[in-house]
Amino acid sequence: MNATTFDVDFARSHFPQLANARAFFENAGGSLVPVQVIEALNDYVSRLQVQPGGPYPQGREAAERLQATRERLAAMINAGEDEIVIGPSTTVNCYVLAQALRPTLAAGDEIVVTNQDHEANSGAWRRLEPTGITVREWRVDPDSGELDPGELPALLNQRTRLVCFPHVSNIVGSLNDVAAITALVHDAGARVCVDGVAHAPHRAIDVRALGVDFYFFSLYKICGPHLGLLYVAREHLAALANQNHYFHDDSPPWYKLNPGGQQHEVSAAAVGLCDYLDSLHAHHFGAGEVPAHRRMAQLFGLIAEHESRLAGQLLEFVNRRNDLRVVGRTVADPAERVATVSLVPLDSGGGQSSALAARVTRHAVSLDAGHFYAHRLLRDLGVLARHGGVMRAGMFHYNTPAEVARLIAALEEALSS
């Protein structure tokens, strides 16, 4: 079987939460979890809530389950098992990485950050400035909220050690060309740290093809439990300073970036995410021996087309209005943006996005408003001052055109009230 369209009904059959009759558009903040994750978590805590690696059957099986999860998650992004860290969140993973890199930097070395990022890939690096690191900012266009790669070379010099930027903005939803930017940075003798949190729910990740040094995303935004995954290219691991207990320095190398160790039960449950995505691939493309990262490329190609149609449905409505504005691109081209759409109301008083969201949620629609940890971006775009943030509709592969129609109807009602 080689499907040409995404079977959303099959996907929805895996999510018991969707039976509540609400249209869920808070996916950019965290997706729902499928039955595979729920069952994996329940099985682990029911049978294996012991110290992994203990010299008894449950201890050995617990360790095997955790190792299997690591191997499958790594394969999904075309990484080696020894190149990933499963931590409590992306924010924590980035903070730990920054502290691990700090001893490799000298006073006067430079790090480039953006004002487009979620704070996870910004604040951790800016906090190194008092230690003698120079932080430069790659700023977005003040109207579009997008990064111009043509402005980056002026920020690079012989002291640049790291450039940190997002794969996709969690507000404007635009795709940044990670491979091209990475090649530019590498040519300048520096490394990259890429935030893939807003990208991972909508597109496949291949860290080898991207050529990145450090890459992270949140498993709970792609149908997994509340965890973050950090990729560290193997050649960089040895130089990173140990952030775990002193006796864990080289056993194995990635463990030094996992202070306190993994969260056992939720890490084991993350294998359910892999099972779910594999079931989607098998349903659409049939069985076959295809490497995991290639399966994901096939699957997310269908998902991108499906989500683009959903985003186009919403954007077409918004583009006809004079009382609502998109913060970001107004066309749902899957080559340019993902299906995360940020909106602000336009009225004589500027309009508060939170008030609009509150009215919309009265109509069996779930979403929210705020800065969504992209405080610097919305501040610099003037959106915080005028609207208090954005109302964000995060469309996901289990959403349907009927649900988007419900969102549109709720918006029409909310805007007229």
Side-chain angles (χ1 to χ4, degrees):
M1 178 181 179
N2 245 333
T4 57
T5 58
F6 183 73
D7 187 347
V8 66
D9 291 330
F10 177 76
R12 289 174 68 86
S13 71
H14 295 77
F15 293 88
Q17 310 93 329
L18 292 173
N20 68 11
R22 293 189 68 86
F24 188 72
F25 291 106
E26 181 62 357
N27 299 293
S31 65
L32 304 176
V33 294
V35 291
Q36 290 92 332
V37 172
I38 297 167
E39 291 171 356
L41 176 61
N42 183 61
D43 181 63
Y44 189 92
V45 297
S46 298
R47 300 191 304 108
L48 303 173
Q49 193 71 353
V50 298
Q51 188 65 22
Y56 43 88
Q58 297 95 329
R60 287 191 290 271
E61 184 180 352
E64 289 167 0
R65 287 275 294 272
L66 290 172
Q67 180 63 18
T69 298
R70 290 184 53 80
E71 291 172 358
R72 292 185 65 187
L73 287 172
M76 190 172 73
I77 64 170
N78 200 17
E81 175 273 331
D82 59 326
E83 295 179 299
I84 67 167
V85 178
I86 302 172
S89 69
T90 289
T91 295
V92 170
N93 283 346
C94 192
Y95 181 82
V96 170
L97 176 62
Q99 296 305 307
L101 274 172
R102 176 63 191 91
T104 71
L105 304 172
D109 283 350
E110 299 185 2
I111 294 176
V112 176
V113 299
T114 81
N115 63 336
Q116 190 187 58
D117 270 285
H118 182 289
E119 190 65 14
N121 197 30
S122 181
W125 306 111
R126 294 173 191 264
R127 289 183 180 186
L128 299 182
E129 199 163 21
T131 70
I133 305 303
T134 298
V135 175
R136 297 186 180 275
E137 191 173 67
W138 181 13
R139 299 181 62 79
V140 300
D141 179 276
D143 296 317
S144 69
E146 298 195 358
L147 293 168
D148 179 1
E151 295 184 356
L152 181 57
L155 296 169
L156 305 176
N157 58 58
Q158 69 275 13
R159 298 309 301 267
T160 307
R161 299 293 177 260
L162 187 68
V163 176
C164 310
F165 63 97
H167 203 152
V168 170
S169 161
N170 71 328
I171 297 295
V172 299
S174 295
L175 290 152
N176 292 316
D177 190 340
V178 171
I181 295 168
T182 297
L184 175 67
V185 172
H186 284 175
D187 286 345
R191 292 175 286 185
V192 299
C193 181
V194 182
D195 174 2
V197 171
H199 176 275
H202 310 290
R203 303 289 190 274
I205 300 165
D206 185 335
V207 293
R208 296 279 183 261
L210 294 172
V212 291
D213 304 287
F214 311 107
Y215 191 101
F216 51 80
F217 60 97
S218 298
L219 296 179
Y220 70 96
K221 298 193 178 184
I222 56 168
C223 303
H226 200 286
L227 292 169
L229 187 147
L230 166 65
Y231 162 77
V232 179
R234 190 175 292 114
E235 60 266 28
H236 302 316
L237 271 169
L240 299 178
N242 180 26
Q243 301 301 304
N244 208 329
H245 303 304
Y246 75 93
F247 44 81
H248 285 313
D249 198 24
D250 292 306
S251 54
W254 59 264
Y255 203 60
K256 64 185 175 183
L257 300 178
N258 210 167
Q262 293 178 228
Q263 295 168 283
H264 301 151
E265 61 276 18
V266 281
S267 294
V271 77
L273 156 65
C274 304
D275 290 339
Y276 168 65
L277 293 177
D278 281 346
S279 75
L280 287 185
H281 181 272
H283 177 76
H284 289 90
F285 297 97
E289 292 299 320
V290 180
H293 69 281
R294 291 182 182 168
R295 294 199 300 270
M296 294 304 99
Q298 290 177 318
L299 174 62
F300 277 89
L302 286 184
I303 286 174
E305 293 172 2
H306 169 69
E307 292 179 346
S308 181
R309 287 190 287 270
L310 300 180
Q313 186 181 347
L314 176 59
L315 290 170
E316 182 181 358
F317 163 76
V318 176
N319 291 339
R320 297 197 304 265
R321 309 284 302 197
N322 59 11
D323 53 1
L324 199 58
R325 179 174 71 87
V326 179
V327 180
R329 293 180 184 246
T330 59
V331 177
D333 183 345
E336 296 181 349
R337 65 132 61 236
V338 299
T340 299
V341 178
S342 296
L343 304 170
V344 292
L346 302 176
D347 60 29
S348 58
Q352 291 296 297
S353 298
S354 59
L356 176 62
R359 294 195 297 272
V360 167
T361 59
R362 296 170 190 161
H363 300 275
V365 172
S366 297
L367 45 66
D368 203 355
H371 57 72
F372 301 106
Y373 296 87
H375 191 277
R376 299 175 198 273
L377 173 62
L378 291 178
R379 178 199 63 197
D380 293 346
L381 293 179
V383 172
L384 277 183
R386 291 195 298 271
H387 306 286
V390 296
M391 186 187 78
R392 189 173 66 175
M395 282 153 280
F396 201 66
H397 66 257
Y398 49 56
N399 289 124
T400 67
E403 289 180 320
V404 178
R406 188 190 308 173
L407 170 59
I408 289 171
L411 276 166
E412 286 186 302
E413 179 69 23
L415 290 165
S416 64
S417 63

